[in-house]
Amino acid sequence: SSAPGAKAATGPEDPAAAVSVPMGRGEVLLLAGSEPLDNAHVAEADALSLWVRLAARGSVSFDERWLEPGAEPSPARRPLLIGAQALLAALVLLVALGRRHGAIRPPPAPGSRRTARDYLASLAALTRRSGAEPELAAASFRRLRRTLEREAGVPARLSVEDAARGLEGRAPAAAAALRRGAVALSAPGPGQLLAVTRAAAEVEYVLRHPASPAGAFDSPRAGR
């Protein structure tokens, strides 16, 4: 780059080319890199010629104040900094410990058996305490819409009502279940995830078992 009043200190083809910028009673030389000033590169290219030309201009000074290390904190402030760091570490530890979802439950007594119902109840309580129920319900409904698009040819970009009308002619029960799932999705609260997931399962069951009688999804054999 150049500056007002700047001129080249060496030839235009010189790899060690510098730009001279007048400043006060002297001038500042801007180099593209520090290689011409290194002892290891003084014999390369035209670095030596640059030094000779610089020496012919008069005294040369280097501003290396940026190499100085940063100011160290005073001894009187060091205990305060150490105390602040310890306090911050303690706060981080407390936050990490406070993110538990609940107290650790004791192991079951020897000989006792946990049923699938117990595991499902624990998983439901954990999901509700973590606040993930609305997000999981939305994900379940999006999966249902993709399933309808893939297996029933109902585009996912359609509104819920348009999609339900497209299903009414061949699977009225699936259309009704789709509407129930949309209503449950728009009403957050306890049981939202269960209602949306159950509606999605009913839609998929009806589509895959078109010959089943009405209410077959609610029967124990249908996997209630």
Side-chain angles (χ1 to χ4, degrees), residues 54-147:
L54 289 177
R57 290 171 176 263
S59 60
V60 180
S61 61
F62 294 89
D63 184 5
E64 296 183 339
R65 287 174 294 181
W66 61 275
L67 295 175
E68 297 179 358
E72 293 289 336
S74 62
R77 296 183 57 188
R78 289 179 182 174
L80 295 178
L81 294 178
I82 295 175
Q85 291 177 352
L87 179 60
L88 179 61
L91 290 176
V92 172
L93 179 61
L94 290 176
V95 171
L97 294 177
R99 292 182 62 85
R100 299 187 63 87
H101 295 298
I104 300 177
R105 297 179 61 181
S112 63
R113 295 183 59 185
R114 295 282 181 87
T115 64
R117 185 184 184 90
D118 296 331
Y119 284 110
L120 288 176
S122 299
L123 181 60
L126 177 63
T127 302
R128 187 165 294 119
R129 283 200 301 268
S130 65
E133 191 171 4
E135 183 178 352
L136 292 176
S140 178
F141 198 77
R142 288 195 300 269
R143 176 184 174 276
L144 170 62
R145 296 304 305 269
R146 290 195 299 269
T147 300

Side-chain angles (χ1 to χ4, degrees), residues 7-33:
K7 59 181 180 179
T10 58
E13 302 299 331
D14 192 347
V19 175
S20 173
V21 180
M23 179 172 291
R25 293 182 298 174
E27 57 185 332
V28 177
L29 295 180
L30 306 178
L31 303 179

Side-chain angles (χ1 to χ4, degrees), residues 156-220:
R157 66 177 181 274
L158 293 179
S159 66
V160 174
E161 186 57 34
D162 290 341
R165 281 198 295 266
L167 290 172
E168 282 179 345
R170 47 181 164 169
L178 178 63
R179 291 190 177 98
R180 286 199 306 273
V183 171
L185 185 64
S186 63
Q192 179 194 37
L193 177 59
L194 176 61
V196 173
T197 304
R198 181 174 177 81
E202 183 173 352
V203 172
E204 295 182 12
Y205 179 83
V206 172
L207 290 178
R208 294 169 184 173
H209 303 83
S212 298
F217 178 78
D218 294 326
S219 64

